[in-house]
Amino acid sequence: MKPEEIERMRDEALAAFAAAGDLDALQEAKVAHTGGTSPLALANREIGALPPQAKAAAGKLVGQARGAVNKALAARQTELEAERDARVLVEEAVDVTLPYDRVPSGARHPLTTMMERVADVFVSMGYEVAEGPEVEAEWFNFDALNFGPDHPARQMQDTFFVQGPKGADSDGESGVVLRTHTSPVQARAMLDREPPVYVVCPGRVYRTDELDATHTPVFHQIELLAVDEGLTMADLKGTLDHMVQSLFGSDMKTRLRPNYFPFTEPSAEMDMLCYVCKGESVGNPDRPCRTCSSEGWIELGGCGMVNPRVLVACGVDPEKYSGFAFGFGIERMLMFRHNVEDMRDMVEGDVRFTRPFGMEI
């Protein structure tokens, strides 16, 4: 273990550290010159085999060399880390003066926003949001809701029927449909819950309509069901007034026109005062209103008291309980509220339609 050999090992290590151009190269040099199999480490192990009188001098020599190597390693690592940090600051710098909207912001679909907003109105009144399957049993979609076997809605030109397996004992009729309204959720709610029942049912529905400016085969509805003791049409009217005023303004009014629906009796169509002209365009040719066609009212949806036959089908005693229900299309309300003229804009996925509605949550 000659002094010149120890100095050579030290100098080689110092030269390797100085030549390292980055932290990865320095790590390789560190392993080679300070690791367990490095020349100085091996020399340190050989001290134990020296005569006692030579150990002190050899230990001092090797220790000084290793100290110099470790000091040089630490200094070079500090230099390279400083260079790296300075380079990162330059390479990853952000120019805050650049336009912030180079990447267009996204937007929720307005149908989703509208459906949640309407549901929130009723949740704040104590109603519960209820959901059900979109592929529905024919009994829930029609029979439980008092649709007779020969009702036109049960024909192929109005309803999507799910094809069943054909065999010796089957003609392919499965008794399953794509639900034509969200009313089956009301039937399921009455079967799953003991009265009183207060639920709001938003969801997607299907009908065999052609896609055009005012129709689409896949659209969204939201329906309301309340079943309790002593409910009347007055409760229904008050609920409808609250909904319309929450969505369109505190000065809005509603009216009910007699109509017929299999699942309600009596039944009515609900109209709301035109939120654009407030009825002032009626009989006023100088101020026509395109929104309501100068009629002063806008038809919003159907409603009525739950038919006792529906209550019986769902296991509710009509002698003790009564209920009311109504439903309307979300697309139709969106067209009214935001003057959307073509329903196809809602389903084509063009961000130029959804982006103006923003990210309201």
Side-chain angles (χ1 to χ4, degrees), residues 5 34 63 106 114 142 149 159 173 176-177 179 188 194 229 253 261 269-270 276 280 288 305:
E5 287 296 322
T34 66
M114 177 62 70
F142 294 125
T159 303
E173 295 183 1
V176 178
V177 300
R179 66 181 183 187
R188 290 179 176 272
E194 293 291 333
E229 297 184 37
K253 299 178 181 178
F261 301 106
E269 284 283 356
M270 184 195 78
V276 176
E280 296 179 4
M305 302 302 294

Side-chain angles (χ1 to χ4, degrees), residues 255-300:
R255 71 177 184 182
L256 301 179
R257 292 181 291 107
N259 206 320
Y260 167 77
F261 301 106
F263 35 84
T264 52
E265 180 61 37
S267 303
E269 284 283 356
M270 184 195 78
D271 299 335
M272 70 175 184
L273 189 67
C274 177
Y275 60 91
V276 176
C277 71
K278 304 298 176 62
E280 296 179 4
S281 65
V282 179
N284 186 358
D286 296 329
R287 189 184 173 184
C289 180
R290 185 179 66 177
T291 302
C292 67
S293 301
S294 297
E295 295 180 359
W297 295 90
I298 299 175
E299 179 184 320
L300 198 57

Side-chain angles (χ1 to χ4, degrees), residues 19-337:
D22 54 37
L23 290 173
D24 291 336
L26 183 63
Q27 179 64 25
E28 295 179 2
K30 176 182 177 181
V31 172
H33 295 281
T34 66
T37 58
S38 64
L40 284 174
L42 296 177
N44 190 58
R45 294 177 188 174
E46 293 178 2
I47 294 176
L50 295 176
Q53 61 275 15
K55 287 184 179 180
K60 181 179 180 179
L61 185 63
V62 173
Q64 291 176 344
R66 298 184 74 181
V69 168
N70 290 332
K71 182 178 180 180
L73 174 63
R76 185 55 177 164
Q77 182 163 347
T78 301
E79 292 177 4
L80 292 177
E81 287 176 349
E83 292 177 3
R84 177 201 60 191
D85 294 343
R87 184 174 61 254
V88 168
L89 287 176
V90 174
E91 294 176 350
E92 300 184 7
V94 176
D95 186 353
V96 296
T97 65
L98 290 174
Y100 69 92
D101 57 350
R102 289 189 301 168
V103 178
S105 58
R108 301 183 78 209
H109 199 284
L111 287 175
T112 301
T113 302
M114 177 62 70
M115 192 154 49
E116 292 181 357
R117 175 182 292 173
V118 176
D120 286 344
V121 171
F122 297 108
V123 170
S124 67
M125 298 171 63
Y127 285 75
E128 175 187 357
V129 176
E131 298 179 344
E134 296 178 12
V135 180
E136 185 60 275
E138 193 173 355
W139 186 89
F140 282 106
N141 198 77
F142 294 125
D143 296 281
L145 302 174
N146 198 37
F147 284 84
D150 299 325
H151 195 280
R154 303 179 79 138
Q155 299 177 7
M156 291 294 291
Q157 63 264 29
D158 294 312
T159 303
F160 289 106
F161 284 84
V162 177
Q163 183 71 42
K166 293 184 178 181
D169 299 325
S170 174
D171 57 4
E173 295 183 1
S174 64
V176 178
V177 300
L178 297 183
R179 66 181 183 187
T180 58
H181 44 191
T182 52
S183 300
V185 183
Q186 300 183 17
R188 290 179 176 272
M190 286 188 282
L191 288 169
D192 293 341
R193 298 165 173 82
E194 293 291 333
V197 176
Y198 291 89
V199 294
V200 59
C201 316
R204 186 183 294 110
V205 298
Y206 306 82
R207 293 182 189 173
T208 56
D209 293 329
E210 295 291 337
L211 178 62
D212 57 31
T214 57
H215 298 85
T216 173
V218 183
F219 56 101
H220 299 78
Q221 282 188 343
I222 188 164
E223 299 195 18
L224 183 87
L225 171 69
V227 177
D228 206 341
E229 297 184 37
L231 294 180
T232 66
M233 287 288 285
D235 299 302
L236 170 61
K237 181 67 163 57
T239 303
L240 297 179
D241 286 343
H242 176 74
M243 178 196 71
V244 170
Q245 291 169 5
S246 298
L247 296 174
F248 293 95
S250 59
D251 58 342
M252 297 302 295
K253 299 178 181 178
T254 65
R255 71 177 184 182
L256 301 179
R257 292 181 291 107
N259 206 320
Y260 167 77
F261 301 106
F263 35 84
T264 52
E265 180 61 37
S267 303
E269 284 283 356
M270 184 195 78
D271 299 335
M272 70 175 184
L273 189 67
C274 177
Y275 60 91
V276 176
C277 71
K278 304 298 176 62
E280 296 179 4
S281 65
V282 179
N284 186 358
D286 296 329
R287 189 184 173 184
C289 180
R290 185 179 66 177
T291 302
C292 67
S293 301
S294 297
E295 295 180 359
W297 295 90
I298 299 175
E299 179 184 320
L300 198 57
C303 61
M305 302 302 294
V306 179
N307 194 309
R309 293 185 177 182
V310 176
L311 295 177
V312 171
C314 297
V316 178
D317 184 2
E319 299 295 329
K320 182 178 180 181
Y321 296 101
S322 60
F324 61 79
F326 73 87
F328 52 87
I330 298 297
E331 282 82 355
R332 184 176 180 82
M333 177 170 283
L334 186 68
M335 295 179 79
F336 289 154
R337 186 180 173 90

